[in-house]
Amino acid sequence: MSLQKYIALIDCDSFFVSCERVVNTEFQKLPLSVVSGERGCVISRSREAKLLGVPMGIPLFQAVEKYPECIYLSANHYVYTLISNKVMKILKEFSPNVEVYSIDEAFVDLTGLTKLYKKNYYNLVKDLQRKILEETGIPVSIGVSRSKTLAKLASDKAKSTRERICLVGNSKIKEFLSITDIQEIWGIGRKLGIKLKGLGVRKALDLIEKDDLWIKSRFGKNGLIIKSELLGNIVSKVSNEIELPKSLSDSKSFLEFTSDLNFLKNELSIHIHEVCSRLRKINSKTSLIGVFLKTKDFRTNYEKISLEVPTDFEFEVSKYAFQLLEKMYSPNILYRSVGIVLEDFNSTKNEQLLLFDNEEKRLQKENLGKSLDKLEKKFGRNIVRTGFVNKEVPFKQGFLTSPKDV
């Protein structure tokens, strides 16, 4: 007799806010919101901020005016990534089968772990929840059920419970679905939810009671997959295989508008190093480089170039990126941001060398890139600045390294 499959979804609570409280303990129990940038929107709120009424997505200038009691911090994605990696490391040590779904969510296959740890599912995830909090400072909500879709629903419900844990076993699935609004289901958005309600499907239970022909004729194969998962059948398995992203990008609005080309190059070089570092972490190289330049009045210029030889090296990416930047740049225009986009990735595990490729130079570039990553890991982000350097442009932290200085 095969083991019954159970899946958990671990969801970090108000993740960006929780990270800020780990770094700055003085923000504990204070109304706190994280915004996407100096001219951005609210992207994460503490419970105290929610009680004040701060809505998700509100522009910063409006939030400050309407909710002055709240503290607003600009997002620090580098710190969030480091803390996320710590959380995911704990999960991977706990179970051999973990699927990282996003920076703050992961599916964990619990099958067989009750026997391994000699605990029931509740105590199993309760100990995991406690371990994550003690070692990272991040509170998490956990949903456990028979499929990913049910685990996601259970995780959402867990957020409103005192223990922040919700288990939905076989005997409770129908009761659980009877109180679940159709729009709460993972994969059914607002538009589709409205359509389903118009057809009399208001609760999740209403959907699973429809026959397959009715569902397929209206919503196709995806509708049948959702129904099957709601019934507790695992259609989408937990997979720890890492899929390459479609693209990597990095950008940040300037504190002041500028038309200084040297400043734009320096800012672009920072973003180039960030995406190249992330590219090396997933053992990939890029074959397409894009640069976007946003003006003061929010017009966006974008240029891209395809490479014959894939790369993950800052100085090579910079060479092409600066050419694209200069092509778009006008000294008579004020700009608010510049950014880099990398696409068309190739895994370095399956990399084929060109016939006339210089192996020595290739290894030098790879070793230099890895050295930059090690320095940053040890001393902090932007401890080394790569790419274009202009001594007249001030920097607040770190030091600069140009190609000729390396």
Side-chain angles (χ1 to χ4, degrees), residues 3-209:
L3 289 172
Q4 283 196 329
K5 292 276 188 180
Y6 274 90
I7 294 171
L9 177 67
I10 286 74
D11 187 357
C12 300
D13 297 332
S14 301
F15 182 56
F16 294 168
V17 163
S18 295
C19 290
E20 293 293 347
R21 284 176 166 174
V22 168
V23 177
N24 305 289
T25 55
E26 66 269 24
F27 293 138
Q28 296 290 344
K29 298 183 179 181
L30 294 177
L32 176 65
S33 293
V34 173
V35 296
S36 54
E38 290 82 1
R39 298 183 181 87
C41 302
V42 171
I43 56 176
S44 183
R45 303 161 296 163
S46 69
R47 184 178 64 85
E48 295 81 3
K50 293 174 185 177
L51 290 174
L52 283 178
V54 180
M56 185 71 86
I58 185 173
L60 176 59
F61 73 92
Q62 291 181 8
V64 171
E65 182 179 339
K66 292 183 179 180
Y67 311 98
E69 313 96 312
C70 190
I71 300 167
Y72 301 92
L73 298 178
S74 183
N76 187 338
H77 293 287
Y78 177 73
V79 169
Y80 306 157
T81 300
L82 291 180
I83 296 177
S84 173
N85 290 340
K86 291 180 180 179
V87 173
M88 300 309 167
K89 184 174 183 289
I90 292 172
L91 298 181
K92 290 172 183 177
E93 291 172 348
F94 173 77
S95 170
N97 203 359
V98 175
E99 180 178 332
V100 178
Y101 181 64
S102 66
I103 193 171
D104 61 347
E105 290 181 293
F107 289 102
V108 178
D109 192 338
L110 301 179
T111 308
L113 297 187
T114 53
K115 290 186 177 180
L116 176 65
Y117 292 103
K118 295 180 171 47
K119 296 174 183 176
N120 61 29
Y121 286 116
Y122 178 83
N123 288 326
L124 198 64
V125 296
K126 186 65 180 175
D127 286 351
L128 177 60
Q129 183 188 59
R130 187 185 304 114
K131 182 179 177 66
I132 292 171
L133 183 62
E134 289 175 352
E135 296 189 13
T136 69
I138 302 297
V140 299
S141 296
I142 303 178
V144 179
S145 196
R146 297 298 312 281
S147 68
K148 279 185 179 179
T149 301
L150 287 172
K152 182 77 167 69
L153 282 173
S155 177
D156 293 339
K157 298 289 186 184
K159 292 181 182 298
S160 60
T161 68
R162 186 172 64 88
E163 299 291 330
R164 300 197 316 282
I165 292 175
C166 178
L167 277 70
V168 182
N170 274 335
S171 62
K172 293 184 178 180
I173 289 178
K174 286 195 174 183
E175 179 187 349
F176 181 67
L177 296 182
S178 69
I179 60 172
T180 301
D181 189 274
I182 192 67
Q183 288 182 226
E184 294 179 53
I185 299 172
W186 187 31
I188 296 180
R190 180 177 175 277
K191 190 175 180 180
L192 181 54
I194 293 173
K195 182 179 179 181
L196 281 163
K197 287 182 176 180
L199 295 170
V201 181
R202 307 190 68 81
K203 300 293 183 180
L205 184 63
D206 298 330
L207 182 62
I208 67 170
E209 290 180 342

Side-chain angles (χ1 to χ4, degrees), residues 208-399:
I208 67 170
E209 290 180 342
K210 294 291 185 182
D211 63 60
D212 289 356
L213 185 61
W214 186 92
I215 293 175
K216 187 175 182 180
S217 64
R218 289 165 176 78
F219 308 106
K221 183 180 177 182
N222 287 337
L224 292 177
I225 290 174
I226 291 173
K227 176 185 175 180
S228 186
E229 287 253 327
L230 289 174
L231 287 168
N233 302 314
I234 297 179
V235 179
S236 176
K237 297 180 180 179
V238 176
S239 173
N240 51 19
E241 292 184 5
I242 300 175
E243 292 186 9
L244 294 181
K246 292 183 179 179
S247 66
L248 291 174
S249 62
D250 199 66
S251 177
K252 187 176 182 181
S253 297
F254 309 140
L255 292 175
E256 296 180 2
F257 304 128
T258 183
S259 59
D260 187 333
L261 180 59
N262 291 336
F263 178 82
L264 293 174
K265 286 184 175 181
N266 275 299
E267 290 298 301
L268 182 57
S269 71
I270 295 171
H271 301 312
I272 290 171
H273 169 62
E274 173 64 21
V275 291
C276 285
S277 179
R278 284 152 58 188
L279 196 59
R280 289 190 289 268
K281 286 178 182 177
I282 59 174
N283 297 312
S284 299
K285 293 187 177 183
T286 182
S287 295
L288 192 149
I289 297 170
V291 173
F292 58 89
L293 189 58
K294 189 172 289 187
T295 66
K296 177 183 176 182
D297 57 357
F298 292 98
R299 286 186 295 107
T300 301
N301 301 306
Y302 179 74
E303 292 285 345
K304 61 183 179 180
I305 186 171
S306 295
L307 308 182
E308 291 185 8
V309 181
T311 185
D312 62 2
F313 189 48
E314 282 86 339
F315 299 150
E316 288 188 353
V317 173
S318 297
K319 178 176 68 175
Y320 297 105
F322 290 162
Q323 291 174 7
L324 298 176
L325 175 63
E326 290 172 355
K327 182 178 179 181
M328 294 182 285
Y329 169 77
S330 170
N332 302 318
I333 296 176
L334 286 174
Y335 298 99
R336 65 168 54 242
S337 67
V338 67
I340 185 78
V341 180
L342 304 183
E343 297 181 67
D344 194 9
F345 302 139
N346 306 88
S347 174
T348 54
K349 295 178 181 178
N350 305 316
E351 185 178 11
Q352 291 185 343
L353 301 180
L354 296 178
L355 182 60
F356 299 105
D357 194 20
N358 188 315
E359 178 69 5
E360 184 178 351
K361 284 188 176 182
R362 184 182 68 83
L363 288 174
Q364 285 178 349
K365 292 173 184 177
E366 290 183 357
N367 290 334
L368 180 53
K370 291 175 182 178
S371 297
L372 294 176
D373 297 338
K374 287 179 180 179
L375 283 169
E376 190 165 87
K377 185 176 181 179
K378 185 173 182 179
F379 297 106
R381 190 187 189 194
N382 291 333
I383 193 66
V384 177
R385 297 290 180 96
T386 61
F388 178 84
V389 177
N390 184 328
K391 294 181 181 178
E392 296 178 0
V393 180
F395 288 89
K396 295 181 180 179
Q397 60 178 2
F399 58 89

